[in-house]
Amino acid sequence: SRMTAHRTPRYVTYQDAEYIPALYKSVTQGNARAVESMLDGAADPNAVFANRTMLQMAAEQGDVSIVKLLLSF
């Protein structure tokens, strides 16, 4: 049987022209739908950007829905 390597979807690892990860932008913009989609696509909920985890950023913003999403993955 032939094995295929698991590939992470491009949108999960995407960074904009300023090298800001898509997950970070979605968390800081309060876009729970996008955050959930990226987490479903294998984005790392424990990723660190700007010396803070995604969970720390969501908590600092008081975004309970995104905090819950991040904790569920």
Side-chain angles (χ1 to χ4, degrees), residues 21-32 34-35 38-39 45 53-59 61 63 66-67 70:
L23 182 58
Y24 171 83
K25 287 184 100 165
S26 295
V27 168
T28 57
Q29 293 172 355
N31 190 339
V35 170
M38 284 182 255
L39 292 172
T53 66
M54 300 300 128
L55 181 59
Q56 287 172 313
M57 287 185 272
Q61 292 181 199
D63 196 325
I66 292 181
V67 167
L70 291 165

Side-chain angles (χ1 to χ4, degrees), residues 1-26:
S1 76
R2 191 174 106 186
M3 296 187 66
T4 57
H6 172 71
R7 287 188 152 163
T8 301
R10 180 168 169 72
Y11 68 87
V12 171
T13 58
Y14 175 79
Q15 296 179 337
D16 67 10
E18 297 171 344
Y19 300 100
I20 298 174
L23 182 58
Y24 171 83
K25 287 184 100 165
S26 295

Side-chain angles (χ1 to χ4, degrees), residues 37-72:
S37 178
M38 284 182 255
L39 292 172
D40 284 340
D44 182 2
N46 300 308
V48 176
F49 184 78
N51 295 317
R52 296 191 327 266
T53 66
M54 300 300 128
L55 181 59
Q56 287 172 313
M57 287 185 272
E60 288 171 5
Q61 292 181 199
D63 196 325
V64 176
S65 62
I66 292 181
V67 167
K68 287 180 180 180
L69 270 172
L70 291 165
L71 289 172
S72 71

